[in-house]
Amino acid sequence: MTESHAAKNMTVKMEDNELVITRVFNAPRELMFKVWSEVEHLKHWWGPKGFNWGFAELDFRPGGFFHYSMQSPDGYLMWAKFIYHEIEALEKIVWDNCFSDEEGNIVRPDFSDQFPLKIRNVLTLAENDGKTTITLRGGPIHATEEERSFFAGMFESMKEGFGNTFDQLDEYLAKV
């Protein structure tokens, strides 16, 4: 864990082929749920550091989706999609995270043909004294052994990426 992430009360581990992240944010649970469930908020913090938002469409309900594009500083355009399965207001959000094309079809990312098509994520939120602890568990579903192994091999990269994303969320929450 890097110093900046450690200082922000974040733990990251691999458990049963799932990435498990726990982090405390200085914000009430109601606000934390909003920043995960409204496109106007997501556009300000979700995704790799330095990427700019393009297209974003959100249908936040079980069976709904979040389809979006982002562009890296060097011009790489990335499309992705969430497919929501379960939503318990203020408590929990369950979704599949996927790379997609412009039409929203699920595709493999350009960087690997071994990356799993779907990562099932379970986000839980718990409030204590005005601060919210989130726990995000994510792992491949319907994946081959090779895909699960590739996912596990990306642990350091995912740890850094989510650390930066959650740093962006921390900065955004301070402004809201």
Side-chain angles (χ1 to χ4, degrees):
M1 192 164 35
T2 65
E3 284 298 317
S4 67
H5 305 318
K8 301 209 185 294
N9 301 317
M10 184 167 119
T11 60
V12 184
K13 61 186 174 182
M14 193 62 88
E15 186 178 283
D16 299 326
N17 205 39
E18 285 187 323
L19 181 69
V20 181
I21 302 169
T22 302
R23 183 154 168 175
V24 178
F25 291 90
N26 189 20
R29 185 167 61 170
E30 185 174 338
L31 177 58
M32 286 299 295
F33 189 79
K34 279 185 174 193
V35 300
W36 282 90
S37 62
E38 296 177 6
V39 73
E40 297 79 21
H41 292 298
L42 283 161
K43 290 169 74 169
H44 289 280
W45 67 270
W46 178 257
K49 192 171 188 156
F51 276 58
N52 292 313
W53 277 84
F55 175 85
E57 182 180 3
L58 176 66
D59 179 11
F60 188 71
R61 62 177 176 82
F65 64 90
F66 174 40
H67 184 220
Y68 62 94
S69 69
M70 304 176 122
Q71 192 164 25
S72 71
D74 65 2
Y76 172 72
L77 182 63
M78 174 184 79
W79 287 89
K81 186 175 187 177
F82 293 4
I83 303 165
Y84 295 104
H85 295 283
E86 184 181 341
I87 297 170
E88 294 176 30
L90 308 182
E91 303 276 335
K92 181 166 127 179
I93 304 170
V94 179
W95 77 96
D96 292 345
N97 197 7
C98 318
F99 286 91
S100 75
D101 61 18
E102 188 174 347
E103 288 78 38
N105 300 305
I106 297 169
V107 299
R108 295 214 186 261
D110 293 340
F111 63 83
S112 173
D113 61 356
Q114 297 174 1
F115 193 83
L117 283 173
K118 292 183 178 182
I119 306 298
R120 174 72 44 93
N121 290 289
V122 178
L123 174 76
T124 56
L125 303 99
E127 185 174 346
N128 187 18
D129 293 329
K131 295 183 179 193
T132 302
T133 300
I134 66 163
T135 302
L136 178 64
R137 300 182 70 91
I141 59 168
H142 312 299
T144 66
E145 187 56 43
E146 183 178 60
E147 291 168 336
R148 285 190 293 278
S149 179
F150 185 87
F151 178 83
M154 291 193 62
F155 176 75
E156 288 301 321
S157 174
M158 291 184 292
K159 181 167 80 170
E160 185 65 25
F162 275 107
N164 289 330
T165 295
F166 290 158
D167 285 350
Q168 292 174 155
L169 175 54
D170 225 9
E171 292 165 14
Y172 179 66
L173 288 168
K175 298 175 194 173
V176 178

